[in-house]
Amino acid sequence: MSTTIPAYHPVSAPDYLPRKQMRELQTARLKRMVERAYTVELYRNRMNEKGVTPADIQSIDDISKLPFTMKNDLRDTYPYGLFASPMNEIVRLHASSGTTGKPIVVAYTKEDLDVWDEVVARALVGYGVTEKDIVQVAYGYGLFTGGLGLHGGASRLGCTVVPISGGNTERQIMLMRDFNVTCCGCTPSYFVHIIDKALQMGVNMRDLPIKFGAFGAEPWSEEVRAYIEEQAGIKAFNIYGLSEICGPGVGAECCFQDGMHIFEDHFYPEIIDPATGEVLPDGTEGELVLSTLSKDAMPMLRYRTRDITTIDVEPCKCGRTIRRIRPIRRRSDDMLIIRGVNVFPSQIETGILRVDGASPHFQIVLETGADGLDRIEVKVEATPDALDDTVASVEQFKKSIAQSISQIIGLSVKITLVQPYTIARSEGKMNRVVDNRKK
C-alpha cells in the first residue's frame, strides 16, 4: 500500500513548528497552567508539600519539580474537586463508566472544546482525510469521550459526519455502503467484528469506498493492523487519548504509521520509571506522563497514564517536528503476573496472529492448578476454512499456536479451539481476561 504525504492544511500548522519555538510556547503555556492549577486545593497542597510555587516554574524543563497526578486523585475529588473554572464556564462534562469505583469526571470550557476539535482534526489531516471525506463515528456517544471527540474533529475539518455510535453492526455495514463512507472510527476490536459480520452478510469490505480507519481506546498489535488492512483494504491508523487529558486526539499516527505524534503544544509528554518516578531520557521505554498545557476547566499536571511506551527521537519522514511515541501495546496496570512472569494480553495476541488460520478473537482464562501453580488457557477461534476434519490437523494447529505464544512469554499455555463467532464480541473496549485464580 503506497504512502502519499497528505497536502498541507492550516489546522496542522503547529505540527511543523521549529523545536526552539515549540519549547518557548510550551514554557509560556506551562507557566499559565501551573498558576491556574495552583487555585485548585489538591495541587496547591501537593506543591506546598514539595516546596514549589508557580514562581519556581520558569521553563518547560522545570516541569519535573511538579507533583504527579494519579487516577485516584480524580476519584477522591469526585465530582468537581479538580475544576479550575467556575461552573458557569463549564460547557460539557464527560465521565468514565465507574465500574471499578467512582467515575472519573472531566470538564471542558468552550475554549477547551475548541482545542479538542483542533487536535482531532490535526490527527485526521495526518492520515490524509480531507473535507471531502465522509466519516462514520462508531465510537460510543454519551459520557464516553470517543464518539463526540472524533465527531468534533471531523466536523472542524469540514467532513460529512455519520454519528452512528456503537452497535447494530449490520446497520453499520449498510450505511458504510449506502453513504459511501470513506473513514470509520471505532475500537480496533469492534472493527474486526464489523469485518466478520460483513463476511457473514456476503459483503466484501474491500468493495466499499472506505479508505481510512481511526482506531483507538485499547492496545492493539501490528498483527491486528495487518489483518484489518488486508481484510478491509484500508489504512488502519492509531489515535491516542484518555479522558483525563481530553479524550482522543492527544496523539495520532501520520501517513507513515511509524509512531504517534503527540500534539505537544497542548499536551507535554514525559517518560518515567514506573517504579521510581525518575524521568527517563527520550528513547527509553517507561511510563508515559502527560501534562495539559492549555486546558482551562481542569488542568492535569504530570498525569501518570500507566501506558508503557517510548518517545522517539528520530525525525519523522512526514516532516512534522512534534515528537512521537511508539504505539501503546501494554499498560502497567493490565500486566498479568503468572508464575512470577510478567505477561501482557497483547503479547498473546501477537503470538496467535503469527499462525495462519487463527482469528483475532481470543480469550485468556487463568486458573489455579491442584499444585497451586497458575495455569493459562487461551481460547482461540479458528477461521472457518483454517482446518480440515482430521484430528491431526486440529492438534497441529493448536500446537503451532501454543509454541508461538510460548516463544514470546516464556510460559507454556493450553490452547482450546472454539467454533467461529462463539467468543463474545465487544462494541467498545474488549475484555480479554477471565481470572479464576484462587486469591
Side-chain angles (χ1 to χ4, degrees):
M1 198 176 295
S2 62
T3 298
T4 303
I5 298 179
Y8 175 80
H9 191 286
V11 75
S12 62
D15 297 349
Y16 300 91
L17 279 179
R19 290 305 304 172
K20 183 176 183 292
Q21 190 174 342
M22 175 63 76
R23 285 178 58 81
E24 291 170 352
L25 178 60
Q26 289 170 335
T27 291
R29 287 182 170 176
L30 177 65
K31 290 167 69 174
R32 176 181 174 274
M33 205 56 13
V34 171
E35 290 174 356
R36 194 169 186 87
Y38 200 68
T39 66
V40 177
E41 183 180 6
L42 180 139
Y43 284 120
R44 186 168 59 251
N45 291 343
R46 293 264 178 92
M47 289 174 65
N48 289 343
E49 289 171 5
K50 291 176 69 73
V52 178
T53 69
D56 295 315
I57 307 302
Q58 295 299 315
S59 163
I60 191 65
D61 294 328
D62 292 329
I63 198 168
S64 60
K65 298 177 181 179
L66 297 170
F68 292 116
T69 309
M70 314 284 284
K71 179 166 282 191
N72 280 342
D73 293 330
L74 283 82
R75 293 195 176 108
D76 293 344
T77 55
Y78 171 89
Y80 302 154
L82 290 183
F83 292 7
S85 294
M87 287 305 296
N88 65 334
E89 295 178 7
I90 304 293
V91 298
R92 189 185 303 168
L93 298 174
H94 280 279
S96 70
S97 62
T99 55
T100 58
K102 289 183 179 179
I104 301 301
V105 178
V106 290
Y108 305 78
T109 64
K110 182 181 182 301
E111 291 74 19
D112 295 337
L113 291 181
D114 288 342
V115 168
W116 194 8
D117 290 347
E118 173 205 315
V119 292
V120 174
R122 285 160 65 179
L124 293 172
V125 166
Y127 303 160
V129 176
T130 73
E131 70 278 359
K132 297 178 182 179
D133 282 292
I134 300 173
V135 180
Q136 184 159 315
V137 181
Y139 287 108
Y141 280 68
L143 291 177
F144 174 59
T145 56
L148 286 169
L150 189 62
H151 184 131
S155 296
R156 171 70 179 272
L157 192 56
C159 304
T160 302
V161 179
V162 182
I164 191 171
S165 193
N168 203 339
T169 308
E170 290 188 7
R171 191 164 183 251
Q172 300 267 5
I173 296 163
M174 179 189 76
L175 295 188
M176 282 183 190
R177 179 184 57 208
D178 295 348
F179 288 4
N180 293 315
V181 169
T182 55
C183 177
C184 179
C186 60
T187 62
S189 58
Y190 185 53
F191 197 80
V192 168
H193 179 46
I194 289 174
I195 291 170
D196 289 347
K197 182 61 71 173
L199 286 172
Q200 293 177 51
M201 293 168 61
V203 174
N204 186 342
M205 293 285 291
R206 298 181 69 90
D207 292 338
L208 302 182
I210 184 169
K211 299 180 292 183
F212 310 102
F215 303 130
E218 62 189 12
W220 52 304
S221 65
E222 286 300 314
E223 287 78 10
V224 167
R225 189 206 301 267
Y227 178 86
I228 288 172
E229 292 190 340
E230 170 61 27
Q231 295 294 316
I234 68 172
K235 290 198 76 171
F237 294 99
N238 262 304
I239 188 166
Y240 176 69
L242 55 165
S243 298
E244 298 90 329
I245 301 300
C246 87
V250 173
E253 289 179 320
C254 66
C255 56
F256 287 97
Q257 299 172 302
D258 187 23
M260 293 182 287
H261 292 275
I262 297 294
F263 300 116
E264 57 176 316
D265 50 322
H266 295 295
F267 316 109
Y268 186 77
E270 301 172 85
I271 297 293
I272 66 167
D273 182 319
T276 67
E278 175 191 1
V279 178
L280 301 175
D282 287 358
T284 306
E285 184 179 79
E287 179 184 341
L288 179 65
V289 170
L290 290 168
S291 298
T292 59
L293 298 179
S294 59
K295 192 169 184 183
D296 287 341
M298 193 173 164
M300 281 282 112
L301 298 182
R302 307 194 76 201
Y303 182 76
R304 295 188 59 165
T305 68
R306 301 298 184 186
D307 290 328
I308 304 299
T309 187
T310 305
I311 294 179
D312 201 328
V313 297
E314 297 297 323
C316 184
K317 290 179 286 187
C318 74
R320 286 173 174 78
T321 56
I322 51 175
R323 289 176 294 170
R324 289 169 292 156
I325 61 171
R326 305 316 301 169
I328 308 296
R329 304 299 185 206
R330 57 193 178 94
R331 291 174 50 84
S332 62
D333 58 0
D334 73 357
M335 182 178 71
L336 305 169
I337 301 177
I338 302 170
R339 293 186 292 227
V341 177
N342 298 341
V343 176
F344 293 88
S346 58
Q347 294 174 304
I348 291 177
E349 177 181 78
T350 295
I352 292 169
L353 290 179
R354 287 179 179 174
V355 178
D356 291 340
S359 84
H361 302 294
F362 68 95
Q363 188 174 63
I364 303 164
V365 181
L366 304 177
E367 304 276 0
T368 302
D371 56 3
L373 296 177
D374 295 338
R375 300 283 187 268
I376 313 172
E377 178 187 11
V378 182
K379 297 181 179 180
V380 182
E381 288 185 9
T383 57
D385 57 350
L387 304 172
D388 58 34
D389 293 329
T390 67
V391 173
S393 173
V394 172
E395 291 305 313
Q396 182 56 48
F397 187 60
K398 290 164 60 176
K399 183 179 179 181
S400 297
I401 297 173
Q403 288 176 340
S404 180
I405 294 172
S406 296
Q407 286 172 358
I408 295 172
I409 68 173
L411 295 171
S412 60
V413 298
K414 174 186 176 183
I415 302 298
T416 301
L417 294 184
V418 298
Q419 291 296 317
Y421 313 116
T422 55
I423 291 177
R425 276 35 171 181
S426 171
E427 296 167 6
K429 297 183 183 182
M430 179 65 73
N431 182 16
R432 296 288 195 192
V433 182
V434 176
D435 194 342
N436 295 328
R437 290 178 291 182
K438 297 176 182 176
K439 305 301 183 184

